[in-house]
Amino acid sequence: MANSTNSFDRRANHLLRLLQLCGGCVPLHSLQCQVSNSVIQTLLDKELVKVQNTGRGFLLEIAEDF
């Protein structure tokens, strides 16, 4: 079970680093093939990221407090 948790944490940290490298936000549709919805939802629940509706799609961005 510890390996599963460590793997999940690694994927969440990878997503946060990716967001930082991309200037703090990335289109949500571009991540759905690469990152599981549960990783995204966990980061949303922890308020580390937020979703913004641009009118042309959704952006996943780093929360300002992070």
Side-chain angles (χ1 to χ4, degrees):
M1 192 75 170
N3 287 339
S4 175
T5 302
N6 289 339
S7 175
F8 189 84
D9 290 340
R10 278 193 304 256
R11 289 180 289 184
N13 287 333
H14 176 73
L15 178 55
L16 287 173
R17 282 194 306 271
L18 176 68
L19 285 170
Q20 290 172 338
L21 291 173
C22 292
C25 64
V26 67
L28 187 59
H29 71 272
S30 69
L31 292 175
Q32 290 179 331
C33 296
Q34 302 170 9
V35 180
S36 69
N37 290 337
S38 61
V39 170
I40 295 171
Q41 186 62 51
T42 299
L43 293 175
L44 285 166
D45 291 344
K46 292 181 179 181
E47 298 180 356
L48 296 175
V49 297
K50 61 183 179 178
V51 175
Q52 178 184 357
N53 184 351
T54 65
R56 294 185 176 192
F58 294 93
L59 290 177
L60 183 68
E61 58 186 354
I62 296 175
E64 294 174 12
D65 297 339
F66 179 67

